[in-house]
Amino acid sequence: MRQKTALIPTLRSVAEAEMISHQLLLRAGFIRQVAAGVYTYLPLAQRVLNKISTIVREEMDRIGSQELLMPALNPAELWQESGRYDTYGPELVKLQDRHDRRFILGPTHEETITDLVRNAVNTYKKLPMTLYQIQTKFRDEKRPRSGLLRGREFIMKDAYSFHADRESLDEIYQDMYQAYVNIFTRCGLEFGSVEADSGSIGGKGTHEFMVFSEAGEDKIAICTSCDYSANIEMAEIVIDETSSANDETVAPIEKIHTPNIKTIDQLATFLQVGPNALVKTLLFIVDEQPVMVLVRGDHEVNEVKVKNIMEASTCFMADEQTIRNVTGASPGSLGPVNVKEKITILADQALRGFAQWHIGANQDDYHFLHAVEGRDFEVSKYADLRTIEEGDKCPRCGGIIRFQKGVEVGHIFKLGTKYSDAMKGTFLDANGREQMYIMGCYGIGISRTLSAVVEQHHDEGGIIWPEAISPYAVHLIAVNMKDETQRNLAEKLYKDLLHAGVEVLFDDRPERAGVKFKDADLIGIPKRIVVGSKATENLIELKSRRSGESQEVNADQILTLIQK
RNA sequence: CGGGGUGUAGCUCAGUUUGGCCAGAGCACUCGCUUUGGGAGCGAGGGGCCGCAGGUUCGAAUCCUGUCACCCCGACCA
């Protein structure tokens, strides 16, 4: 490609971009914003996307996954059938056609694929079957940000597998896991896989592929001694050996006046104890039912764990009005004693050893001291309910947990029969009996991967593409196009490279050398050939964008040097 | 969803408090001359319904009302 006519609108400065990848992609002329969270991929970005897609296709095909393409526009009925039309939330883009028929723009395609397969595949003989597509997805994010890292429209690879039995699912899941490792490795990313929550898609057994980066919005808990890593939503807490003996006699429960004490910190100061000696009481609405959750004062409740313990599909904190209705008090004065309504009371396992609890009295400005579980109130269930913290023990090896930020670029799930149940996806087994498909689904954010690569591969001057996904293999720069010798040599090299099948971007613009070099640094093509004043001696420069090292070589050698 | 901020040339922004020769600068773009290995110099040009819609006024980028868009921060731990 000749840069003279290429659409590569580089910029000197960019406001309104926080993330490095966002900034560089804008400045280097890869993307342009069209609306909040919506971007045009300019020619350079499109080339990178194609490279990433090619890698993805190769690895998918290698494990026997077949590519297809489903519509972005989907009838609401399918989503009503699975129930997600109502439960997916406001991120689902809904629209209507001229006849008032309702549609959604797909944020993911379990419904569409299940509908396809239930109609087109009805015998075990075709199983297992894995299908994938690379396509634009839509999610109406409440707050799009970070450029391509969190857009409202983005490119995703999504694969779905259908199985007659669990073992088959486990096998494909393993294949996918390996394929994902291959894909992200080939893209030049430093990444890890972590245990994760399945979110609204449902199902058990899932891994997220996280690219380590400060730009990430996800927190990962990592063990400093072993290779354990998990999304902090999922990371299990190991039970510390129960601390205190329970046979000590505890004073009778006592109500004390605690005016204007609303937080654990205030109560800790008031009582002259540490927050870890107190019990925090929160009210959640889990599948429409109020559930009281108790954790140690210095711990944080993990909503995902609460949801999972209750085997529920939704879980969020109750609003103040609901709290008042259920407990009779406002936030800051809640406790498990004398709850107005009879509700489920969950307690974190760390509280099991508490001989006496200091808790809210369900009456504004009052707390109870010396409450005893079993005497003054009942806990429905003890469980692991808190969020892991830095410094906690690793659930595998007992080492120390640290947090790291990451960008989720891939996610694989074992879905089970969630969708085949909801949508009656069945096939006939060897005995002629109807069976539900067991399903898996596997996603990769293609456009997000592009952005994640930039997060990991750049310097002050711009992007540094890994060779495997660079928009071009070689950047050929003619320092001075007005110099006939330089121009002729550069033109000859350009033709030779093209002829040899090398992807080359040729900077033939009538710009000054400085401009060309700055742009080349920004764009980040790994190999650079500079044709300059030594052209008279048939000498050119071969430079590495990453290391900055350059060597002077005879122009006749260039093809062999480039191709090795 | 809550809070804050910004909309003036392709880009970055000044001008708005105090209404009137305030339609401006730098960069980018076009032409000419010079320059030619790290974002050149001089000269001459082109380009903006001042986000949009109402209103006040003799007169509005500037004041008032409404509206839209975009950016940032936060989102409940009792």
Side-chain angles (χ1 to χ4, degrees):
Chain A
M1 181 71 211
R2 288 175 180 275
Q3 215 167 325
K4 209 165 160 181
T5 49
L7 178 58
I8 307 176
T10 54
L11 300 168
R12 291 200 179 181
S13 62
V14 176
E16 295 187 353
E18 291 294 307
M19 288 330 25
I20 296 165
S21 60
H22 189 195
Q23 236 171 69
L24 287 178
L25 288 169
L26 283 169
R27 282 227 293 145
F30 282 69
I31 60 170
R32 279 293 140 93
Q33 184 174 105
V34 176
V38 179
Y39 293 83
T40 290
Y41 303 102
L42 302 187
L44 287 179
Q46 180 62 12
R47 291 184 70 94
V48 177
L49 290 173
N50 284 338
K51 297 251 165 121
I52 297 172
S53 300
T54 299
I55 291 174
V56 168
R57 287 194 172 99
E58 285 171 7
E59 296 296 335
M60 286 296 108
D61 293 352
R62 189 197 300 226
I63 59 171
S65 186
Q66 311 170 61
E67 182 169 10
L68 50 56
L69 183 58
M70 291 181 273
L73 188 67
N74 286 274
E77 289 85 60
L78 280 179
W79 279 65
Q80 283 159 343
E81 203 179 336
S82 72
R84 287 207 294 181
Y85 189 76
D86 296 314
T87 60
Y88 195 89
E91 290 179 3
L92 182 63
V93 180
K94 299 176 177 176
L95 54 148
Q96 298 186 339
D97 70 8
R98 63 170 77 192
H99 308 297
D100 289 336
R101 269 192 56 128
R102 302 211 271 191
F103 288 85
I104 60 104
L105 293 179
T108 168
H109 280 76
E110 284 81 6
E111 283 80 357
T112 320
I113 196 98
T114 304
D115 179 55
L116 171 75
V117 172
R118 72 179 167 184
N119 289 315
V121 180
N122 42 36
T123 164
Y124 73 97
K125 294 175 188 169
K126 287 278 186 191
L127 303 181
M129 182 179 284
T130 309
L131 300 160
Y132 77 95
Q133 65 174 343
I134 293 176
Q135 192 223 29
T136 301
K137 306 285 190 200
F138 300 86
R139 287 183 198 167
D140 194 358
E141 295 285 348
K142 52 189 157 182
R143 192 181 157 206
R145 64 183 120 183
S146 314
L148 262 35
L149 287 177
R150 177 166 297 276
R152 293 194 294 179
E153 179 182 317
F154 54 96
I155 300 171
M156 186 164 149
K157 186 268 341 186
D158 47 326
Y160 306 89
S161 65
F162 296 82
H163 310 268
D165 54 59
R166 281 263 154 205
E167 293 67 42
S168 167
L169 172 61
D170 291 344
E171 275 170 36
I172 297 290
Y173 188 87
Q174 260 328 108
D175 288 351
M176 278 289 174
Y177 189 100
Q178 188 56 49
Y180 274 40
V181 169
N182 296 346
I183 288 165
F184 296 125
T185 303
R186 289 178 67 185
C187 287
L189 287 167
E190 253 188 72
F191 64 97
S193 69
V194 306
E195 295 175 13
D197 179 63
S198 53
S200 64
I201 295 201
K204 291 263 188 309
T206 100
H207 283 87
E208 286 175 353
F209 287 80
M210 310 290 297
V211 170
F212 302 127
S213 162
E214 275 310 299
E217 292 181 346
D218 293 293
K219 267 194 193 159
I220 313 158
I222 294 178
C223 176
T224 48
S225 336
C226 73
D227 63 356
Y228 176 81
S229 62
N231 189 302
I232 59 161
E233 292 179 338
M234 280 299 281
E236 304 154 44
I237 311 287
V238 279
I239 318 124
D240 263 337
E241 59 290 354
T242 327
S243 45
S244 64
N246 263 341
D247 51 345
E248 61 181 280
T249 350
V250 173
I253 191 164
E254 175 190 354
K255 188 192 271 190
I256 56 165
H257 188 50
T258 50
N260 288 322
I261 287 179
K262 297 260 171 227
T263 69
I264 289 294
D265 281 346
Q266 289 166 357
L267 187 62
T269 310
F270 183 80
L271 295 176
Q272 303 273 310
V273 296
N276 59 355
L278 298 173
V279 175
K280 185 155 68 180
T281 306
L282 296 98
L283 194 71
F284 286 84
I285 303 299
V286 182
D287 277 0
E288 327 244 309
Q289 294 300 312
V291 171
M292 188 169 270
V293 178
L294 307 165
V295 294
R296 218 170 70 187
D298 58 331
H299 287 161
E300 295 209 347
V301 173
N302 184 327
E303 289 183 24
V304 172
K305 287 181 178 175
V306 173
K307 190 179 82 180
N308 289 344
I309 293 289
M310 297 298 290
E311 293 177 355
S313 55
T314 64
C315 173
F316 53 89
M317 292 186 90
D319 60 47
E320 190 157 346
Q321 190 54 49
T322 310
I323 291 172
R324 204 169 276 284
N325 293 343
V326 173
T327 67
S330 44
S333 306
L334 307 188
V337 180
N338 295 337
V339 184
K340 228 168 100 189
E341 289 182 24
K342 177 100 181 106
I343 57 172
T344 305
I345 297 177
L346 299 177
D348 185 67
Q349 54 194 8
L351 297 179
R352 209 190 290 264
F354 271 45
Q356 50 176 328
W357 301 21
H358 306 315
I359 49 181
N362 293 326
Q363 183 181 346
D364 285 2
D365 295 334
Y366 286 92
H367 281 77
F368 282 127
L369 298 181
H370 322 304
V372 174
E373 202 262 302
R375 181 186 74 181
D376 305 309
F377 62 95
E378 299 286 342
V379 163
S380 317
K381 191 174 187 179
Y382 283 96
D384 173 12
L385 295 172
R386 57 171 268 237
T387 301
I388 200 163
E389 285 163 23
E390 280 195 286
D392 276 341
K393 282 189 182 152
C394 169
R396 289 272 171 74
C397 74
I400 303 296
I401 290 292
R402 290 276 168 255
F403 285 179
Q404 181 149 16
K405 282 189 182 171
V407 177
E408 180 191 344
V409 288
H411 205 158
I412 56 180
F413 303 91
K414 292 180 186 174
L415 280 177
T417 56
K418 174 167 174 168
Y419 293 93
S420 30
D421 272 341
M423 300 179 67
K424 299 186 180 55
T426 61
F427 62 95
L428 292 182
D429 67 13
N431 303 315
R433 242 186 247 119
E434 234 182 24
Q435 299 280 350
M436 294 290 179
Y437 291 107
I438 297 172
M439 294 172 58
C441 79
Y442 319 89
I444 289 181
I446 303 279
S447 43
R448 181 181 277 187
T449 297
L450 176 146
S451 207
V453 168
V454 178
E455 284 292 334
Q456 282 193 350
H457 299 275
H458 66 267
D459 61 15
E460 311 73 52
I463 306 172
I464 306 170
W465 291 104
E467 294 197 11
I469 62 170
S470 175
Y472 290 92
V474 175
H475 203 167
L476 173 64
I477 297 176
V479 169
N480 184 356
M481 283 300 283
K482 282 189 183 155
D483 181 301
E484 203 173 327
T485 318
Q486 292 183 32
R487 189 178 68 233
N488 289 342
L489 181 56
E491 288 283 355
K492 176 182 178 299
L493 290 176
Y494 180 53
K495 288 195 183 76
D496 290 350
L497 287 163
L498 280 182
H499 189 71
V502 176
E503 293 179 306
V504 54
L505 180 63
F506 177 25
D507 194 345
D508 58 346
R509 295 175 301 168
E511 291 286 350
R512 300 170 60 81
V515 174
K516 295 187 176 197
F517 291 142
K518 289 287 184 193
D519 276 351
D521 288 345
L522 259 182
I523 293 167
I525 294 168
K527 286 178 182 161
R528 183 179 307 172
I529 298 172
V530 182
V531 179
S533 47
K534 296 257 179 83
T536 47
E537 301 161 50
N538 205 37
L539 289 177
I540 56 175
E541 206 174 300
L542 182 57
K543 184 170 182 176
S544 157
R545 170 68 181 88
R546 188 172 291 276
S547 68
E549 288 166 11
S550 72
Q551 53 181 136
E552 209 165 67
V553 300
N554 190 292
D556 301 334
Q557 295 177 280
I558 201 64
L559 274 181
T560 42
L561 283 172
I562 287 293
Q563 285 175 325
K564 80 170 182 204

